[in-house]
Every structure is written in C-alpha cells, then in structure tokens.
C-alpha cells in the first residue's frame, strides 16, 4: 500500500518544510491537485508551484489534473517535474490521444473517474494506462466525506486487472482516513491519497502508519 499525501492540505506559506515533513513521515508519492475553476468549482495552483520544490525531493510527483481539455497543459505539467500525470475522462473528448501524449513525454499516464462515472467509460483505455484514479469524493475540495458507493468501482477495476493481466495501479482520492482507507485496501486499491487526514494529524508519521496498516 502506497500513501500519497495531497499537497492541497499543506501549509502554502511553508511549503517546502511541510512537504519534507510528510516525506520524513513515510509518504510514497506527493499528490498534486491542479484545478482550473471550470472542470471543478475551485482554483488551486499551477505547475510553476511544484516546479520550485521539485529539485529538493526524490519521491514520485503524482499530478492530478482537474482541468478541462487537459491536452493544452500536459506539456507544461510534464516539464515542471511530474512523474505521473492523471487526467479525467470527463474532461476530454479524446482520452486515447491525451494518454498517448503523456506517454510520449516519457511520463506515467493515469485516467481518473468522478463518483458519477462508471468503469465502463474507461474500459477501452485500461490497457494503456499506468494508473486509474477512482475519485471517492466529488473533486474540487479537500476535507469532504468519502462516498461509499465508489468502492464497487475499485473492486471492478481489481477484477478486470486480474482477468486481463493489466498493469495499472488503482488509486483512490477523497475522504480517505483510517476507516475508509482500510475499505479501499480490501476493495483492491494500491495507492491512498490523503490530504486532510495526514496534514491535519498531530502526528503525521502515525497517520501514515495507520493508513499503511494492512
Ligand atoms: C479533491 C482532491 C484531493 C483532495 C483530497 O478534489 O483531488 O486530492 O486533496 O483531500 P482529502 O483527503 O482531505 O479528502
Ligand atoms: Zn487529487
């Protein structure tokens, strides 16, 4: 089980130090949420923000693009130092082309689905992706409650992967805590994104340990 603390819940006035703190606490990936105010009703930050801290860290930068027509920004997101680039199937008419664009840049490619989107919407792209991100809240904000019905999709993705011998990691994002994290693990998730649970915990090492407990 990998843990990906979400930078959205970090202290932006002290970003480098706060990220170092979760790295020291045992983070596997750094999850980075880009929002455009259109695909989701919120704005966060652009690639130049994580570009500035990239040289100080070795861990995987896992960039989650909550952006309409992501094709226009994939190159910038890549150049700024992303390792995994995940785009939403709902945000593009050309998911296959956009996934190939990411792979041609030498990055790992992920596809994300909102809580209302079925697994069937990404079935044809599953053989091509390195990661599938199942949103367990409606994207746009940290600190929301986990939506239980999304667990069915995690299970479906685990079954499909096994049956067809696909290689993608299954990542869940939103409302992950000790309890919901365990449910995701049992359903077949490999990567837990956790924003508020890790960053707001009085002992972040303990928070990550709780999430990793298998
Ligand atoms: C929500 C983002 C998440 C968010 C998760 O749109 O994609 O990554 O930071 O925050 P928590 O873990 O607090 O729900
Ligand atoms: Zn995210």
């Amino acid at each position: 089980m990998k843990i990906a603390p979400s930078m959205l819940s970090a202290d932006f006035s002290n970003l480098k130090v706060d990220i170092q703190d979760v790295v020291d606490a045992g983070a596997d990936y750094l999850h980075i949420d880009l929002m455009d105010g259109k695909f989701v009703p919120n704005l966060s930050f652009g690639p130049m923000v994580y570009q500035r801290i990239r040289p100080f860290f070795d861990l995987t930068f896992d960039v989650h693009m909550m952006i309409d027509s992501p094709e226009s920004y994939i190159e910038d997101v890549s150049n700024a130092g992303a390792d995994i680039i995940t785009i939403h199937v709902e945000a593009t008419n050309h998911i296959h082309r956009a996934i190939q664009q990411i792979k041609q840049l030498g990055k790992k490619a992920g596809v994300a689905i909102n809580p209302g989107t079925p697994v069937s919407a990404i079935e044809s792209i599953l053989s091509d992706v390195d990661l599938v991100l199942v949103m367990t809240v409606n994207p746009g904000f940290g600190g929301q409650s986990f939506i239980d019905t999304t667990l069915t999709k995690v299970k479906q993705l685990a079954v499909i992967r096994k049956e067809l011998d696909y290689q993608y990691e299954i990542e869940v994002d939103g409302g992950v805590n000790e309890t919901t994290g365990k449910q995701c693990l049992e359903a077949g998730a490999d990567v837990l994104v956790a924003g508020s649970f890790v960053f707001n915990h009085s002992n972040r090492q303990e928070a990550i340990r709780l999430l990793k407990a298998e």
Side-chain angles (χ1 to χ4, degrees), residues 96-164:
H96 184 271
R97 182 189 288 153
I99 291 292
Q100 301 312 318
Q101 193 186 343
I102 296 169
K103 292 171 90 173
Q104 277 159 16
L105 291 164
K107 307 295 182 174
K108 289 194 171 171
V111 65
I113 49 173
N114 283 333
T117 304
V119 167
S120 58
I122 52 168
E123 231 168 80
S124 60
I125 200 73
L126 288 177
S127 57
D128 289 357
V129 295
D130 301 294
L131 182 141
V132 179
L133 172 51
V134 177
M135 286 307 303
T136 44
V137 298
N138 289 298
F141 304 91
Q144 303 182 83
S145 299
F146 188 87
I147 299 170
D148 293 316
T149 49
T150 58
L151 284 170
T152 310
K153 295 192 281 183
V154 176
K155 289 180 194 151
Q156 285 171 358
L157 284 161
V159 169
I160 294 172
R161 176 173 60 186
K162 196 164 180 222
E163 277 177 356
L164 299 177

Side-chain angles (χ1 to χ4, degrees), residues 39 87-93 95 111-114 117-118 121-122 125:
F39 182 70
I87 56 177
H88 272 262
V89 70
E90 304 90 355
T92 175
N93 290 324
I95 190 68
V111 65
I113 49 173
N114 283 333
T117 304
I122 52 168
I125 200 73

Side-chain angles (χ1 to χ4, degrees), residues 17-196:
V17 171
D18 220 23
I19 300 304
Q20 185 64 57
D21 196 51
V22 292
V23 170
D24 294 342
D28 298 284
Y29 293 172
L30 178 64
H31 185 80
I32 300 171
D33 290 299
L34 304 183
M35 303 180 185
D36 67 351
K38 280 201 291 182
F39 182 70
V40 288
N42 197 10
L43 293 162
S44 56
F45 44 79
M48 63 164 66
V49 173
Y50 66 83
Q51 183 169 27
R52 294 296 296 274
I53 57 162
R54 171 80 269 193
F56 301 100
F57 299 103
D58 285 334
L59 87 168
T60 297
F61 274 31
D62 168 34
V63 179
H64 176 196
M65 295 180 73
M66 285 164 274
I67 294 179
D68 266 339
S69 304
E71 295 86 348
S72 320
Y73 293 101
I74 285 171
E75 202 171 335
D76 291 345
V77 165
S78 171
N79 290 340
D83 298 299
I84 306 171
I85 301 176
T86 297
I87 56 177
H88 272 262
V89 70
E90 304 90 355
T92 175
N93 290 324
H94 302 288
I95 190 68
H96 184 271
R97 182 189 288 153
I99 291 292
Q100 301 312 318
Q101 193 186 343
I102 296 169
K103 292 171 90 173
Q104 277 159 16
L105 291 164
K107 307 295 182 174
K108 289 194 171 171
V111 65
I113 49 173
N114 283 333
T117 304
V119 167
S120 58
I122 52 168
E123 231 168 80
S124 60
I125 200 73
L126 288 177
S127 57
D128 289 357
V129 295
D130 301 294
L131 182 141
V132 179
L133 172 51
V134 177
M135 286 307 303
T136 44
V137 298
N138 289 298
F141 304 91
Q144 303 182 83
S145 299
F146 188 87
I147 299 170
D148 293 316
T149 49
T150 58
L151 284 170
T152 310
K153 295 192 281 183
V154 176
K155 289 180 194 151
Q156 285 171 358
L157 284 161
V159 169
I160 294 172
R161 176 173 60 186
K162 196 164 180 222
E163 277 177 356
L164 299 177
D165 198 24
Y166 289 159
Q167 303 303 319
Y168 52 78
E169 288 191 310
I170 303 172
E171 181 177 63
V172 291
D173 182 7
V176 171
N177 56 33
E178 194 183 340
T179 310
T180 56
K182 191 159 186 287
Q183 293 172 333
C184 292
L185 170 70
E186 282 164 6
D190 310 290
V191 187
L192 301 179
V193 175
S196 45

